[in-house]
Every structure is written in C-alpha cells, then in structure tokens.
Amino acid sequence: MTDTPALPAVSREWHLASRPVGWPKPEDFAFVEVDVPQPGEGQVLVRNKYLSVDPYMRGRMSDAKSYVAPFELGKVMQGGAVGEVVASNAEGLSAGDHVLHFFGWREYAVVDAKNAVKVDPQAAPLSTYLGVLGMTGLTAYAGLLRTAAFKEGDAVFVSGAAGAVGGQVGQIARLKGASRVIGSAGSDEKVKLLTEEYGFDAAFNYKDGPVAEQLRAAAPDGIDVYFDNVGGDHLEAAIGSLNQGGRIAVCGMISVYNNTEPAPGPKNLARLIATRGRIEGFLVGDHYDLQPQFVQEVAPWVASGELKYRETVVEGIENNLEAFLGVLRGDNTGKMIVKL
C-alpha cells in the first residue's frame, strides 16, 4: 500500500431494493451505510467526486433480457464516476491521482486499476469526463458520424436536443457543415438555449403541438439525418420528413422507458421503402475505437468555446436518486451530474 490516509469508517451508497414497475418509486431503493472497503492487490480506493446519472440506468433496474446485465437486488448500483485515489495497491496509480471508472452511486469505491482511466483535472474540469469529453460525448460523436453516416450538407434533426447527448450532436453537425440543424426540447427555455447558445438553426417545444407539424415547419425541405433520443411521436415525425437516402440513428427512446405495456411502433414505416431510408440502433460500447479521434477533434472545440455544454449539478450523494428521477422527467439541461 503506497498511501493509507485517515478515512471515514463508513461509506454511503444506493442499493436497488425492488424492481420498479412503471415509474421508479423511492421505496424501490435503499440508501445504506457500509464499511469503507480496502483495496486488494492491483486495486485502488477512490473517493468519488462526481457521479453520473443517465436514462439507460432505468433499463438496468429491470430484469428483462437486454444488452447489459441488470442491477442486482440488494446490491449497490453502478454508473460513471470520477474521483480521487486515496489509497493505492497498484502500480501506475498513486494517492492524489484522479480516475474515471464505473462504480458510481457510492461515496467510496474499490476499483481494479485496469478499469480506472487516469484523467487530468488541469486539462478539463473533472465533471466533463462524465459528459462532453466522456461517454455521452462519444455517444454523440459515434452515433452521428458513424451510425448515421453524417456528411457535409446534411440537414439534421435531433430529439432531446437540450440533453447531454443531443446538444452535442447538433453542435458537432453544425461544426462539420450541416446545411440545417433542428432540435426538439421540452421547454421554451431549452428551445432558446438551442438556438441562441448552441447555434441550432431552428428548435421547437414538442409540448406546443404535434411533433410532425412542428418538424415540417422547421425543416420544410426535409431532413437527411435523425438522431433519436426519444422515440414515439418523434420517430414517426422524422420518418415522415426523411429525404431520399435518409438515415436514422437510434440512441435512446426515453418516452417509453417507464411504459408498462409495449409502445406501438411508427405507423409510417412503409415510407422507408420510398425514401430508401435506414434506421439503425447503436451502443456506445461498440465504438470505443473512436475515443482517441473523438478527444483529438472535440477537446479543442470545447477549449475554444466553439462547442458549448451545460451541466445540471445536484449536490450530495443523498440526492443521487432524485437526480436520476430528474433525468427521466427531463429536469436537466445538458449532463446531469451529482457532486459529492
């Protein structure tokens, strides 16, 4: 052990107590105290500083077969986190280093050194490694450029555009020469953010009227790319506005995550035949080979202010659950972060 400073006796963490049906309820979770763990050989003890809460976590609360294992009942949940190494039993990492890892929803975590990525707090704020320069940023980059095969001159529509992923999709499209970038969001304040700060050409509040009508008004010449974070009426509207050879990248469908019955699919799928359109789902985990290219291209945009980002910061591990529920409600602008 290279360093063992005085530590608290207990660490607080969130466990899944029961599998939610429909909207998660507080009684589905337990906030518990456990002994602070000690790192074994090849491990480090990390005091988490920032935690990520994301829509995909809702799926892991179910035991339905999916692309990732469900959270275990009675066990601490997981999620992205950035923290400081406070004790090390591994080569290459020392007390005082900062690392990105996947053991969130807790104050202290023991992490295998091979699963901890050292990050530089001098190069960028620590919280950005969970958002604009982290998994959400790479999701935007890979989904737009690889899955949707964006090319200069495309007209791009993004749903959930004021969220952490959506806001970055629209800005990357603009910086790479989109002919038009359109976004949907759930409040007039978010719509204003998209057009006045993020540089979207048009944006609309999906609560103001039928999405299909608002999209046609915002993109009278149709769209070439749709980046889907919402599903439902947004997906149907995008299919209706898709140009010849249009591409749809399905990142998420937050509108149906808490449904207890299967949601009906778009009624206009046959239009894909006439447009030769394509719909493809993707997972960021399949595109980590793009990480170096992503950081090399996007980090300078962030540093120069060409690519802007927002964070909604909730203070305190005790408010981790409320922050997560806030993401499902759409309370956040940009990346939802919990600061410990």
Side-chain angles (χ1 to χ4, degrees):
M1 192 88 58
T2 59
D3 192 13
T4 310
L7 299 173
V10 296
S11 172
R12 295 176 295 172
E13 57 187 37
W14 284 94
H15 291 194
L16 186 65
S18 59
R19 301 205 180 276
V21 177
W23 274 87
K25 303 179 294 296
E27 52 266 34
D28 294 322
F29 306 87
F31 188 44
V32 304
E33 291 187 348
V34 298
D35 293 338
V36 172
Q38 293 300 317
E41 186 69 31
Q43 296 180 323
V44 293
L45 176 64
V46 180
R47 184 178 74 243
N48 287 331
K49 291 189 171 184
Y50 293 94
L51 306 177
S52 178
V53 285
D54 304 280
Y56 79 86
M57 293 173 175
R58 177 62 184 86
R60 295 198 68 188
M61 294 171 188
S62 165
D63 60 359
K65 185 175 176 60
S66 185
Y67 61 88
V68 65
F71 292 136
E72 293 184 56
L73 290 177
K75 300 283 184 68
V76 61
M77 294 181 289
Q78 298 171 334
V82 176
E84 181 182 355
V85 175
V86 293
S88 176
N89 203 5
E91 293 292 328
L93 288 173
S94 304
D97 287 340
H98 290 84
V99 294
L100 170 68
H101 62 89
F102 206 68
F103 294 91
W105 290 83
R106 69 199 85 184
E107 289 180 299
Y108 287 85
V110 166
V111 183
D112 289 344
K114 64 182 180 182
N115 295 328
V117 178
K118 189 186 285 191
V119 295
D120 183 0
Q122 303 303 316
L126 285 174
S127 59
T128 63
Y129 294 105
L130 295 175
V132 67
L133 294 178
M135 185 175 73
T136 51
L138 181 59
T139 300
Y141 189 86
L144 177 68
L145 301 182
R146 179 175 278 174
T147 306
F150 169 85
K151 59 185 183 297
E152 187 176 353
D154 281 343
V156 177
F157 172 45
V158 187
S159 59
V165 173
Q168 204 155 341
V169 171
Q171 291 184 81
I172 292 172
R174 175 177 56 79
L175 288 162
K176 283 189 162 289
S179 61
R180 189 164 179 79
V181 178
I182 305 104
S184 72
S187 73
D188 292 343
E189 182 183 7
K190 290 180 179 180
V191 167
K192 187 176 179 181
L193 169 74
L194 295 177
T195 56
E196 295 187 6
E197 187 170 329
Y198 287 179
F200 282 56
D201 297 290
F204 60 84
N205 183 342
Y206 66 83
K207 298 174 183 176
D208 285 349
V211 174
E213 293 179 11
Q214 295 197 77
L215 178 58
R216 278 195 297 270
D221 296 324
I223 60 171
D224 302 296
V225 168
Y226 171 48
F227 193 103
D228 191 13
N229 290 304
V230 175
D233 55 355
H234 281 75
L235 178 56
E236 189 168 291
I239 293 171
S241 285
L242 206 63
N243 289 332
Q244 196 91 347
R247 290 87 66 205
I248 296 173
V250 181
C251 176
M253 293 192 173
I254 197 169
S255 69
V256 303
Y257 285 170
N258 293 305
N259 288 5
T260 55
E261 297 293 332
K267 298 190 293 289
N268 58 350
L269 277 175
R271 193 170 186 276
L272 294 174
I273 302 169
T275 61
R276 288 74 153 179
R278 172 169 64 82
I279 300 179
E280 183 177 344
F282 75 98
L283 296 173
V284 67
D286 296 333
H287 301 281
Y288 280 124
D289 62 297
L290 288 176
Q291 178 77 22
Q293 175 184 322
F294 157 68
V295 172
Q296 183 178 19
E297 187 164 19
V298 174
W301 287 339
V302 174
S304 69
E306 292 175 274
L307 193 153
K308 303 181 188 305
Y309 67 95
R310 290 283 192 95
E311 294 175 341
T312 300
V313 180
V314 172
E315 299 266 354
I317 181 73
E318 65 276 9
N319 295 313
N320 213 92
L321 175 59
E322 182 55 30
F324 167 70
L325 296 175
V327 169
L328 297 184
R329 292 191 298 261
D331 293 352
N332 56 304
T333 298
K335 184 76 184 79
M336 181 72 90
I337 299 283
V338 179
K339 181 180 180 181
L340 274 57

